[in-house]
Amino acid sequence: MPTVIHVPEELAAAQEKFNGEAGRAFVSGLPGLTAAFLDHWDLRVTGAPMHGVSALVLPVDRADGTPAVLKLQIPDEETEGEPVALRTWNGDGAVRLLDHDASTGTLLLERLDPARTLARLPDVREAVLVIARLLAHLTSTPAPAGLRRLGDIAHALLERAPGALARIPDPAVRRTVADCAAALREVADESGDRLLHWDLHYDNVLAADRAPWLAIDPKPLAGDPGFDLWPALANRFDADDANDTADTAWRFDALTDVLGLDRDRALAWTHARLLQNCLWHIENGRPPSPLDLEIAHRLRRRPPRSAPTPPTP
């Protein structure tokens, strides 16, 4: 009997919201697409579907009993580089790619433990250090040819910034966004050539039997590792916790120490990431995120040196 695939309502709603007609077409075609790849790669579904905003993920077993996951997603400029990055890392610090269909963007991946994410590690500072060590390892690799380049993204952000600034009524917010653009302008012409993950937040780090922690779901770029720090600063952040002022500075210092980054350049690329977030909100008719702005203010107020060099694992 053929496996019946039910698309989660939350995934369907997210595709409708972010991708419109293309998202609706993707969702309507998912059952057939899934069935085709289950047959093509001789897979058996072994658990309930999982999903994020853009992908359906099914736990499966291969014909030889090897556990894996089948990931189905819309190919776009963010996802098309995922198999390239995963092949380059080849399981070293990241989930291993087992197979890939270029025409649909469908991936067959090593199965990790979705119940054991870094987001559940109680000690936030230890979680930051895990991210830092993974980033230091992953970004030590030169980016392969053909990936999106951070330099192109940086210059596009600078071109969009004046129009977005004109739409910000609050002068303090406008000044912060303008400062971010000014910081990016200083480094945009030296954007780097490392293989970046771009989205290494705590839910994108899973435990595995073969390694304590592995990265998943890259949206890879070729660029400066300083651009990769933002998720570790912004996630698991409580703006109402007075201790987080010092904690933000500690996170930034720990990340730059472990990655061996120049702090001024890393801060400029962190401001570039904030600018990217702000422009996305403004261009979609919303104000910049108050949490993002608060992190920027706390980084600006950080003491000259707030954290010792983290111990080597």
Side-chain angles (χ1 to χ4, degrees):
M1 179 181 295
T3 302
V4 178
I5 302 300
H6 297 287
V7 179
E9 292 182 4
E10 297 87 348
L11 176 60
Q15 285 295 321
E16 170 82 23
K17 178 180 179 180
F18 294 111
N19 293 316
E21 181 56 39
R24 290 191 292 273
F26 170 68
V27 169
S28 66
L30 263 178
L33 186 66
T34 304
F37 278 102
L38 291 175
D39 180 66
H40 177 61
W41 284 329
D42 197 7
L43 307 172
R44 180 175 63 87
V45 176
T46 57
M50 301 170 284
H51 67 91
V53 172
S54 60
L56 178 70
V57 178
L58 287 171
V60 296
D61 281 351
R62 305 181 83 177
D64 63 1
T66 302
V69 294
L70 180 66
K71 182 177 181 180
L72 303 109
Q73 58 194 355
I74 294 182
D76 59 24
E77 65 176 2
E78 290 188 354
T79 62
E80 68 182 4
E82 183 174 359
V84 178
L86 293 179
R87 283 199 182 100
T88 301
W89 288 320
N90 193 29
D92 188 5
V95 65
R96 184 170 283 119
L97 178 67
L98 304 177
D99 214 330
H100 168 235
D101 179 72
S103 64
T104 63
T106 303
L107 307 175
L108 186 64
L109 301 165
E110 168 188 21
R111 192 192 304 174
L112 306 183
D113 187 346
R116 294 161 58 204
T117 77
L118 198 55
R120 296 186 180 184
L121 191 69
D123 187 337
V124 175
R125 289 195 171 190
E126 178 56 32
V128 171
L129 292 178
V130 171
I131 292 275
R133 293 164 191 150
L134 279 174
L135 284 177
H137 189 70
L138 296 174
T139 62
S140 67
T141 302
L147 288 182
R148 294 183 300 161
R149 304 200 66 82
L150 178 56
D152 297 333
I153 293 171
H155 286 288
L157 291 174
L158 291 173
E159 290 175 2
R160 292 157 53 196
L165 286 168
R167 297 168 61 180
I168 302 174
D170 186 320
V173 175
R174 189 164 60 247
R175 188 179 314 113
T176 297
V177 176
D179 287 347
C180 289
L184 173 57
R185 197 170 290 111
E186 293 295 317
V187 296
D189 290 332
E190 298 179 3
S191 59
D193 65 353
R194 301 291 93 183
L195 178 53
L196 307 186
H197 184 287
W198 189 82
D199 196 28
L200 197 59
H201 56 75
Y202 303 95
D203 279 315
N204 273 348
V205 180
L206 302 184
D209 292 335
R210 66 177 179 87
W213 300 105
L214 293 170
I216 65 167
D217 201 23
K219 306 292 186 288
L221 303 172
D224 190 298
F227 196 68
D228 253 356
L229 306 186
W230 181 263
L233 296 170
N235 294 170
R236 299 188 69 174
F237 170 79
D238 183 357
D240 295 326
D241 186 345
N243 292 327
D244 270 0
T245 298
D247 187 62
T248 298
W250 186 92
R251 292 189 194 200
F252 181 79
D253 287 343
L255 288 160
T256 52
D257 278 347
V258 173
L259 273 80
L261 301 180
D262 178 271
R263 286 160 51 82
D264 290 337
R265 283 185 58 83
L267 185 59
W269 284 114
T270 298
H271 284 142
R273 191 66 174 268
L274 173 60
L275 176 65
Q276 185 181 52
N277 290 353
C278 289
L279 295 186
W280 187 81
H281 282 286
I282 293 165
E283 291 167 355
N284 283 279
R286 297 188 297 274
S289 162
L291 184 145
D292 286 359
L293 297 173
E294 180 62 23
I295 293 172
H297 296 156
R298 294 185 185 200
L299 283 172
R300 186 178 301 166
R301 297 196 302 266
R302 80 190 193 283
R305 191 69 187 161
S306 59
T309 301
T312 300

PDB file of all heavy atoms in Angstrom, residues 32 113 115 117 123 150 197 218 263 296 313:
ATOM      1  N   GLY A  32       2.785  13.845  -4.086  1.00  0.00           N
ATOM      2  CA  GLY A  32       3.284  13.132  -5.260  1.00  0.00           C
ATOM      3  C   GLY A  32       4.802  13.150  -5.343  1.00  0.00           C
ATOM      4  O   GLY A  32       5.435  12.139  -5.690  1.00  0.00           O
ATOM      5  N   ASP A 113      19.598  13.472  15.645  1.00  0.00           N
ATOM      6  CA  ASP A 113      18.583  13.333  16.694  1.00  0.00           C
ATOM      7  C   ASP A 113      17.834  14.648  16.849  1.00  0.00           C
ATOM      8  O   ASP A 113      18.320  15.565  17.517  1.00  0.00           O
ATOM      9  CB  ASP A 113      19.249  12.942  18.012  1.00  0.00           C
ATOM     10  CG  ASP A 113      18.231  12.610  19.102  1.00  0.00           C
ATOM     11  OD1 ASP A 113      17.043  12.926  18.919  1.00  0.00           O
ATOM     12  OD2 ASP A 113      18.624  12.045  20.140  1.00  0.00           O
ATOM     13  N   ALA A 115      15.434  15.463  18.625  1.00  0.00           N
ATOM     14  CA  ALA A 115      15.015  15.755  20.000  1.00  0.00           C
ATOM     15  C   ALA A 115      16.138  16.362  20.832  1.00  0.00           C
ATOM     16  O   ALA A 115      15.896  16.864  21.926  1.00  0.00           O
ATOM     17  CB  ALA A 115      14.514  14.481  20.669  1.00  0.00           C
ATOM     18  N   THR A 117      18.549  19.158  20.455  1.00  0.00           N
ATOM     19  CA  THR A 117      19.060  20.346  19.788  1.00  0.00           C
ATOM     20  C   THR A 117      19.836  21.186  20.785  1.00  0.00           C
ATOM     21  O   THR A 117      19.634  21.100  21.999  1.00  0.00           O
ATOM     22  CB  THR A 117      17.929  21.205  19.190  1.00  0.00           C
ATOM     23  OG1 THR A 117      17.286  21.936  20.254  1.00  0.00           O
ATOM     24  CG2 THR A 117      16.900  20.359  18.467  1.00  0.00           C
ATOM     25  N   ASP A 123      22.726  25.468  29.697  1.00  0.00           N
ATOM     26  CA  ASP A 123      23.741  26.504  29.864  1.00  0.00           C
ATOM     27  C   ASP A 123      23.902  27.264  28.548  1.00  0.00           C
ATOM     28  O   ASP A 123      24.505  26.765  27.593  1.00  0.00           O
ATOM     29  CB  ASP A 123      25.059  25.855  30.282  1.00  0.00           C
ATOM     30  CG  ASP A 123      26.139  26.873  30.638  1.00  0.00           C
ATOM     31  OD1 ASP A 123      26.064  28.021  30.173  1.00  0.00           O
ATOM     32  OD2 ASP A 123      27.064  26.508  31.390  1.00  0.00           O
ATOM     33  N   LEU A 150      29.035  37.170  -0.456  1.00  0.00           N
ATOM     34  CA  LEU A 150      28.663  38.183   0.509  1.00  0.00           C
ATOM     35  C   LEU A 150      28.905  39.582  -0.029  1.00  0.00           C
ATOM     36  O   LEU A 150      28.138  40.505   0.259  1.00  0.00           O
ATOM     37  CB  LEU A 150      29.448  37.967   1.811  1.00  0.00           C
ATOM     38  CG  LEU A 150      29.219  38.979   2.931  1.00  0.00           C
ATOM     39  CD1 LEU A 150      27.750  39.086   3.305  1.00  0.00           C
ATOM     40  CD2 LEU A 150      30.067  38.608   4.151  1.00  0.00           C
ATOM     41  N   HIS A 197      27.865  29.433   6.866  1.00  0.00           N
ATOM     42  CA  HIS A 197      26.603  28.722   7.066  1.00  0.00           C
ATOM     43  C   HIS A 197      25.429  29.674   6.929  1.00  0.00           C
ATOM     44  O   HIS A 197      24.397  29.334   6.382  1.00  0.00           O
ATOM     45  CB  HIS A 197      26.601  28.077   8.454  1.00  0.00           C
ATOM     46  CG  HIS A 197      25.393  27.243   8.748  1.00  0.00           C
ATOM     47  ND1 HIS A 197      24.138  27.781   9.001  1.00  0.00           N
ATOM     48  CD2 HIS A 197      25.235  25.888   8.853  1.00  0.00           C
ATOM     49  CE1 HIS A 197      23.275  26.813   9.225  1.00  0.00           C
ATOM     50  NE2 HIS A 197      23.904  25.655   9.149  1.00  0.00           N
ATOM     51  N   PRO A 218      22.228  24.642   6.202  1.00  0.00           N
ATOM     52  CA  PRO A 218      22.960  25.858   5.817  1.00  0.00           C
ATOM     53  C   PRO A 218      22.269  26.612   4.689  1.00  0.00           C
ATOM     54  O   PRO A 218      21.588  26.025   3.850  1.00  0.00           O
ATOM     55  CB  PRO A 218      24.309  25.307   5.354  1.00  0.00           C
ATOM     56  CG  PRO A 218      23.986  23.934   4.848  1.00  0.00           C
ATOM     57  CD  PRO A 218      22.897  23.417   5.751  1.00  0.00           C
ATOM     58  N   ARG A 263      38.071  42.028  15.975  1.00  0.00           N
ATOM     59  CA  ARG A 263      36.809  42.410  16.600  1.00  0.00           C
ATOM     60  C   ARG A 263      36.106  43.552  15.873  1.00  0.00           C
ATOM     61  O   ARG A 263      34.878  43.569  15.762  1.00  0.00           O
ATOM     62  CB  ARG A 263      37.060  42.785  18.068  1.00  0.00           C
ATOM     63  CG  ARG A 263      37.315  41.575  18.948  1.00  0.00           C
ATOM     64  CD  ARG A 263      38.031  41.934  20.231  1.00  0.00           C
ATOM     65  NE  ARG A 263      37.406  43.017  20.958  1.00  0.00           N
ATOM     66  CZ  ARG A 263      36.351  42.889  21.771  1.00  0.00           C
ATOM     67  NH1 ARG A 263      35.810  41.694  21.938  1.00  0.00           N
ATOM     68  NH2 ARG A 263      35.853  43.925  22.401  1.00  0.00           N
ATOM     69  N   ALA A 296      21.844  45.556  19.150  1.00  0.00           N
ATOM     70  CA  ALA A 296      22.783  46.529  18.587  1.00  0.00           C
ATOM     71  C   ALA A 296      23.194  47.559  19.622  1.00  0.00           C
ATOM     72  O   ALA A 296      24.380  47.922  19.733  1.00  0.00           O
ATOM     73  CB  ALA A 296      22.154  47.217  17.379  1.00  0.00           C
ATOM     74  N   PRO A 313      38.306  23.269  23.851  1.00  0.00           N
ATOM     75  CA  PRO A 313      37.612  22.036  24.211  1.00  0.00           C
ATOM     76  C   PRO A 313      38.568  20.851  24.197  1.00  0.00           C
ATOM     77  O   PRO A 313      39.536  20.822  23.486  1.00  0.00           O
ATOM     78  CB  PRO A 313      36.538  21.893  23.130  1.00  0.00           C
ATOM     79  CG  PRO A 313      37.039  22.666  21.971  1.00  0.00           C
ATOM     80  CD  PRO A 313      37.834  23.804  22.540  1.00  0.00           C
TER      81      PRO A 313
END
